[in-house]
Amino acid sequence: MELPKYENTRSDSEDNDSDTNSAVSSNYVSREATLKTDIEDYESDDDNDVQSSNSILGDGSIFKPVLNGNVFTVPGSDYSIYIGLKEKQNLFIAGIFDTQIVKGGIIYNSNHYNASSRQTLNMWHPMSSSVPAIVSSFYAGWKEPILQKSKLAVIPSLNPEEFTCIIKLSNNKHFNGITEGHKLLSDLNYFWKPRNGDGNQFLHHDSTFTLLDEQKDIFTPLEISNQWSQTLKQLQLQHNNSELDTRIMIIGGKNSGKSTILRLLIEKLLSQDLGQEDNDTESIANNPLWYLDLDPGQPEYSDPECVSLGQIEYNTNVKPLGTTFGQCGFNKLRQHFLGVNSPQDNPELYLSLIDELFEYFEEQYFTGTSLLNLPGWIKGFGITIINHVIEKYRPTHIIMLEYANRLNFEEVYIPQTFTSNLRENYSPNIIRLPPHKSSSTNDDVYNQLKFQASQLRTFRTLLLFHKQLERDNHCFNFNFKPLLATTPLQVSIGGKNCINGIYLMEEFQNLHKDDIKGVLEGCIVGIHKFVKDFDNNTDKELQNMTENHGIYPLIKGKRAPKNFQYVTLGLIHSIDERNSLINIYVPELEADTLSNSKEDFQWILVRGKTETPMCELYPPKRVIGEYINMNDQSIPYISTQRAKKQEHVWKVRKNIQRRGHFMK
């Protein structure tokens, strides 16, 4: 089913930057006028279609929520509401919510979705990133249905004929508890809702979403430029029509929109027509994508400080859209633990780990579409990494997010032709696009909206440790009960299915045996397994790698051996040296696998630089009172007593180099 077509009223002079900045290879992108689905081209020039500025239901495309005017509550339900949208109106919503189109259609991130009784759009809109608009549209079919007529009939103030589009918004059902993370980490108070917003006046206080008012609430709307829309459409055609593999990589600096355009591209490539009748077949096959996530600091799908290769595939009934915090639909095929949030902290290890991913990727002979996510490091050694990735990945399409009048990628080397397992002597298509521009130009507004990268990393770590067992193949639960209120897993050092090796990254090596306990307690480690292969005598091989320092079997070397397979992260609670035991917290999804595994393997702990969330070691007072008894002094590492007069904590700095430290 084609997207709704609107007449292009823009002149060539208005798009004078299109040919120069886009610079798409002429043999790939047509210069003819293409479909424009962004907000600017979606607006009409007909004054008769524009509502009066005094209209109570909003001015033109601005949606102003009015109870029983365009917002309708459902009798007997505290968690669902109906929204009526006039022609070309934009609706912004924060939080996590399920959307069902009851009448007409919507345009979301340049994709058109029809009314459907079968499928639900599960949208994720945190305030840490730009919020996409839900734009009202018509039903792109021969006969427009109006779904849930019996439920609409019990709402006297709702007349379906008054609205171009009607959608039903429901509380998040498939990912329970994720919006409660602020109870453990106060930095997340306004992660899923705006500051001082009143959009919940129509909703139950436990709703997982908030209606945003463009005229009152402080947020950043997501704006998709014409050049971005055209590129996404062309790549979708390439994805649908290509008989061989398509490899797409994005290059750009920090805050240039790499993650944004990747999310938009995933939604575009995996979009399917929701406008068919219930007994019809889908018009577009729901083919999975492969995703190389090589940004350890801000991963989209990997565990914190990991790089991975995985498969993205949507459920046929619930389609997750928006950001990827805690979403399902990603199957990790191979994952490696780096232990640092930036490649510049250990570039040699980073290159070796991604080389292993590329080697595994090439062995699969994958004929579909793959995407590659890189860090925003485009200076110094970062250029070396980009050139190395281009050489190994051999992309068919390279998207460069470049600022105008600035040479960002003059040192990037792109060969004229590549040869892969499935193609011979093909030339990469280079697509130059302007970076994403935020509509919030006010510095004060930007500072209110901004979340630090460290806060986002902490949140992803919490999601990993507080994710509960799946209710089905597509649903997670999250419980932010502090780990200290639960019992850690107790694992022996030495023995079957126990810890048989501990690897400390370079700066922690050569420690005295009395200092090892302090380096490990209260820290996050990468849990790996070393599977025994008695035919090749790998058990003896592991013993040859280790040196015993007291009870600790330390593994020497600049990097952990290649045959270590990453499993998950763990948080070490404490170490009982007398009984050779380590008390460690592991994600609930992996606890049964590690403790009751039928496979004969040995645990390997890798200590990197992953930051431990302080809220896990010392939860907020309100959480302590609910879960932890302070009288038994069960909280380790933390002293609640005030220091005595003239009592100080000495902090030793080891990085000072004064002139007297050097020999002349």
Side-chain angles (χ1 to χ4, degrees):
M1 184 70 64
E2 292 292 334
L3 280 166
K5 297 185 177 181
Y6 306 100
E7 182 179 357
N8 180 19
T9 60
R10 295 172 61 92
S11 64
D12 294 338
S13 61
E14 293 174 3
D15 279 334
N16 57 356
D17 293 334
S18 178
D19 292 341
T20 56
N21 290 338
S22 183
V24 186
S25 300
S26 58
N27 61 344
Y28 174 61
V29 176
S30 172
R31 297 300 184 187
E32 298 178 358
T34 58
L35 176 65
K36 304 293 193 301
T37 57
D38 56 298
I39 305 304
E40 180 180 358
D41 292 306
Y42 189 66
E43 295 177 354
S44 172
D45 293 332
D46 189 354
D47 293 336
N48 295 328
D49 291 339
V50 181
Q51 297 181 6
S52 169
S53 60
N54 297 325
S55 173
I56 192 174
L57 299 183
D59 180 11
S61 65
I62 297 178
F63 176 84
K64 182 179 181 180
V66 177
L67 184 62
N68 295 327
N70 51 18
V71 178
F72 307 91
T73 58
V74 181
S77 175
D78 295 328
Y79 299 101
S80 299
I81 62 173
Y82 287 90
I83 300 288
L85 297 175
K86 299 288 186 177
E87 187 175 358
K88 309 164 192 172
Q89 274 192 328
N90 304 334
L91 173 63
F92 294 93
I93 307 175
I96 308 176
F97 53 98
D98 294 335
T99 303
Q100 184 179 9
I101 307 170
V102 178
K103 177 188 176 183
I106 65 171
I107 292 179
Y108 179 87
N109 286 343
S110 77
N111 295 317
H112 183 269
Y113 300 98
N114 271 343
S116 173
S117 61
R118 288 182 303 167
Q119 302 205 21
T120 301
L121 305 178
N122 182 236
M123 298 182 177
W124 297 57
H125 295 170
M127 301 301 292
S128 61
S129 56
S130 301
V131 179
I134 299 175
V135 186
S136 66
S137 181
F138 55 84
Y139 183 82
W142 294 107
K143 185 178 180 181
E144 178 180 14
I146 299 180
L147 309 174
Q148 302 186 10
K149 291 184 179 180
S150 59
K151 295 183 179 179
L152 297 179
V154 300
I155 308 177
S157 57
L158 174 56
N159 181 9
E161 301 301 327
E162 294 182 359
F163 301 101
T164 304
C165 171
I166 299 176
I167 61 175
K168 179 184 178 182
L169 303 178
S170 304
N171 222 33
N172 173 250
K173 299 177 182 178
H174 303 282
F175 303 85
N176 292 335
I178 192 173
T179 56
E180 302 298 320
H182 65 278
K183 295 181 179 179
L184 186 58
L185 181 62
S186 60
D187 292 347
L188 303 176
N189 282 334
Y190 301 104
F191 192 84
W192 297 108
K193 61 182 180 180
R195 298 176 184 269
N196 303 321
D198 59 357
N200 269 352
Q201 60 181 317
F202 313 109
L203 307 170
H204 192 275
H205 61 86
D206 288 332
S207 293
T208 60
F209 61 96
T210 304
L211 303 183
L212 299 176
D213 190 333
E214 291 185 76
Q215 298 175 332
K216 295 181 180 180
D217 295 323
I218 299 175
F219 69 98
T220 304
L222 175 60
E223 297 182 356
I224 305 174
S225 67
N226 294 336
Q227 295 156 286
W228 278 35
S229 293
Q230 294 175 19
T231 300
L232 294 173
K233 180 65 176 178
Q234 295 297 333
L235 291 176
Q236 183 189 40
L237 294 175
Q238 172 72 20
H239 167 72
N240 293 335
N241 299 326
S242 177
E243 297 180 356
L244 298 175
D245 60 329
T246 300
R247 307 182 180 193
I248 306 171
M249 67 178 295
I250 317 290
I251 303 176
K254 294 182 179 179
N255 300 319
S256 61
K258 294 192 318 302
S259 299
T260 300
I261 195 171
L262 276 168
R263 293 178 196 137
L264 296 176
L265 185 55
I266 290 171
E267 292 178 8
K268 176 67 73 173
L269 299 185
L270 293 182
S271 66
Q272 53 185 339
D273 183 19
L274 303 185
Q276 303 292 329
E277 297 296 335
D278 288 2
N279 57 354
D280 289 343
T281 58
E282 302 297 341
S283 60
I284 299 176
N286 190 13
N287 296 320
L289 300 174
W290 280 25
Y291 193 97
L292 279 156
D293 200 356
L294 305 185
D295 187 353
Q298 297 182 10
E300 290 293 313
Y301 297 99
S302 307
D303 289 354
E305 300 187 359
C306 291
V307 292
S308 69
L309 169 65
Q311 184 183 75
I312 305 172
E313 188 170 12
Y314 285 168
N315 184 301
T316 57
N317 296 321
V318 179
K319 180 186 290 294
L321 302 173
T323 60
T324 56
F325 287 102
Q327 286 187 3
C328 298
F330 185 75
N331 177 31
K332 298 184 183 72
L333 303 176
R334 186 65 62 91
Q335 186 168 213
H336 296 305
F337 177 64
L338 182 63
V340 293
N341 57 55
S342 175
Q344 60 185 331
D345 292 335
N346 198 335
E348 184 179 354
L349 175 61
Y350 177 78
L351 291 177
S352 63
L353 293 181
I354 65 174
D355 282 350
E356 293 175 17
L357 290 179
F358 286 130
E359 181 179 351
Y360 178 80
F361 173 73
E362 294 293 345
E363 291 174 353
Q364 307 309 307
Y365 287 86
F366 178 61
T367 58
T369 298
S370 60
L371 308 175
L372 188 144
N373 178 31
L374 272 176
W377 187 19
I378 58 174
K379 294 181 180 180
F381 194 77
I383 294 294
T384 302
I385 290 179
I386 292 175
N387 291 335
H388 182 81
V389 169
I390 292 175
E391 178 186 358
K392 294 291 185 178
Y393 183 51
R394 290 169 282 187
T396 60
H397 299 78
I398 302 176
I399 299 177
M400 294 184 172
L401 302 177
E402 292 187 320
Y403 291 93
N405 301 323
R406 190 186 304 176
L407 297 177
N408 303 99
F409 307 113
E410 65 272 15
E411 298 180 11
V412 173
Y413 173 69
I414 303 176
Q416 293 184 352
T417 59
F418 290 114
T419 298
S420 66
N421 293 338
L422 299 174
R423 295 174 180 255
E424 291 186 1
N425 299 324
Y426 61 91
S427 299
N429 290 285
I430 302 173
I431 307 172
R432 301 183 186 272
L433 295 176
H436 175 252
K437 293 182 180 180
S438 171
S439 60
S440 296
T441 56
N442 189 316
D443 291 339
D444 293 335
V445 173
Y446 177 76
N447 290 331
Q448 292 184 56
L449 296 172
K450 186 177 181 181
F451 281 82
Q452 301 294 331
S454 58
Q455 295 173 314
L456 300 180
R457 286 195 296 268
T458 300
F459 184 37
R460 292 187 184 277
T461 303
L462 294 179
L463 290 178
L464 177 65
F465 279 95
H466 293 274
K467 184 185 297 182
Q468 294 185 322
L469 294 175
E470 297 178 82
R471 290 180 295 146
D472 54 46
N473 293 331
H474 304 281
C475 300
F476 287 138
N477 283 337
F478 294 88
N479 183 357
F480 290 96
K481 178 181 180 180
L483 294 179
L484 287 178
T486 61
T487 303
L489 192 64
Q490 197 171 68
V491 187
S492 299
I493 300 178
K496 181 180 179 181
N497 285 0
C498 296
I499 299 172
N500 287 272
I502 300 174
Y503 176 77
L504 305 177
M505 289 193 173
E506 191 170 357
E507 67 179 74
F508 302 113
Q509 293 189 5
N510 301 320
L511 291 173
H512 189 274
K513 64 178 182 179
D514 295 338
D515 298 327
I516 298 176
K517 180 179 180 181
V519 169
L520 295 176
E521 282 189 329
C523 295
I524 289 181
V525 295
I527 301 176
H528 298 67
K529 64 179 181 180
F530 190 96
V531 181
K532 294 182 180 180
D533 184 354
F534 294 102
D535 293 336
N536 297 326
N537 202 19
T538 54
D539 188 25
K540 185 176 181 180
E541 179 184 352
L542 179 60
Q543 293 179 1
N544 295 334
M545 297 179 188
T546 60
E547 296 180 3
N548 291 326
H549 291 246
I551 66 168
Y552 304 101
L554 298 187
I555 299 174
K556 296 296 183 178
K558 292 185 177 181
R559 61 152 293 177
K562 292 184 178 181
N563 48 0
F564 288 2
Q565 183 179 345
Y566 172 79
V567 179
T568 186
L569 296 182
L571 172 58
I572 297 179
H573 173 278
S574 56
I575 299 177
D576 183 355
E577 292 185 328
R578 175 177 298 180
N579 297 310
S580 298
L581 296 173
I582 291 183
N583 300 308
I584 185 170
Y585 294 110
V586 298
E588 183 176 330
L589 291 174
E590 303 292 346
D592 291 340
T593 302
L594 294 172
S595 59
N596 301 319
S597 176
K598 298 180 180 180
E599 183 182 20
D600 187 15
F601 70 85
Q602 298 166 309
W603 284 39
I604 308 296
L605 304 184
V606 178
R607 166 69 159 94
K609 298 180 181 179
T610 309
E611 295 183 5
T612 301
M614 285 302 299
C615 58
E616 296 287 17
L617 301 182
Y618 189 44
K621 291 183 179 180
R622 64 181 183 277
V623 178
I624 292 177
E626 182 178 356
Y627 293 108
I628 303 175
N629 184 7
M630 287 290 293
N631 295 327
D632 62 7
Q633 299 181 354
S634 58
I635 300 180
Y637 326 115
I638 302 296
S639 174
T640 58
Q641 298 179 353
R642 186 181 298 273
K644 298 179 181 179
K645 188 177 181 180
Q646 297 181 346
E647 183 179 8
H648 302 281
V649 177
W650 292 95
K651 297 181 180 180
V652 180
R653 293 186 61 183
K654 300 180 180 180
N655 61 340
I656 299 178
Q657 291 184 338
R658 305 187 187 278
R659 271 184 295 180
H661 293 175
F662 297 94
M663 298 293 294
K664 294 184 179 179

